[in-house]
Amino acid sequence: MAVFTDPSVTGYHTPGHPEAPFRVSKSAERLKAAGHALLPPEKPAADAELLRVHTPRHLETVAKGTFRDADTAFYPQIDAIARTSLAGALSAAGRAEKGEPSFSLMRPPGHHAAPEKVAGFCYYNNLAIAVAGIPGKKVAIVDVDVHHGDGTEAWAFGRENVTFVSLHQVPLYPGSGLKSRGNCRNIPLPPGTHETQYLKALEGALHEVLNSKPDLLAVSAGFDTYKEDPIAQLKLDAATYKRIGKMLAETKLPRFAVLEGGYAEALPLLIERFLDGFFD
Ligand SMILES: [Zn+2]
């Protein structure tokens, strides 16, 4: 069981922006104190890996800052930091392939980033790129962030060997994910959804996912479903995250998860609880 992280990913922030450095620094402190092995990524991410999902134009726009997105700022160092975040996801996927459940504790997150679009605090789609690097296996992507994983769906839709399922609050940013299509299953949840309803929806989703007979599980782990999250309105308790992690572990599939959203001060605790179940 490995947690991949790197202190350099705390090196950008705009004051007042919820996607802040404490998300990784405080979580790393807490996981270390709880006895988790924190490791740096095993190797840097290469252009060839980014190009499995993104276009050359997209790589150029992130490096030069020629994109425009109201939520997603340009920083001169963001290309390097986003690549470190990706490297964590790639390392976690590599461990999962060897049968070791793993977690990438990094930022920026990735699930809103589409092949040619920066969006919603995301520059490169860490999870999609990691899944694209697992050839010859059927992969089930489960996105439990409170927001629809629109960037991941844009890549996954119609792709053989990939099943995508997203549970998310509606109405909420980015406004998509109202209906399922093809290999992409979307489960909209109303504001105020609490543990019982949430776990029931997740159970149904996992049941469908297992029907596709996947070889591996890739999880977009967002924690903005928490009752005190400042930017969404679901009502999960801290204890719920252990149950979510455990339900994912009970699939008995090789698995890895990457950090997506989660903006409450309690994030380090929520991640610790999730790993208590996910690594079980
Ligand atoms: Zn989110």
Side-chain angles (χ1 to χ4, degrees), residues 60-141:
E60 194 186 308
T61 203
V62 173
K64 293 187 178 167
T66 50
F67 54 84
R68 289 290 170 268
D69 183 83
D71 299 320
T72 318
F74 174 69
Y75 309 87
Q77 70 279 32
I78 197 65
D79 182 42
I81 294 177
R83 284 169 186 250
T84 300
S85 181
L86 168 60
L90 294 169
S91 297
R95 291 293 181 104
E97 279 192 272
K98 293 175 191 152
E100 185 183 353
S102 297
F103 181 65
S104 178
L105 175 65
M106 296 282 199
R107 62 190 283 267
H111 74 150
H112 296 303
E116 210 174 74
K117 193 177 76 169
V118 160
F121 322 160
C122 304
Y123 302 83
Y124 297 131
N125 197 314
N126 307 314
L127 187 93
I129 295 166
V131 171
I134 306 172
K137 286 193 177 160
K138 289 189 92 166
V139 180
I141 299 172

Side-chain angles (χ1 to χ4, degrees), residues 3-7 37-43 84 87-88 91 95 106:
V3 176
F4 292 96
T5 191
D6 192 294
L38 303 187
L39 305 170
E42 288 169 340
K43 59 182 168 81
T84 300
S91 297
R95 291 293 181 104
M106 296 282 199

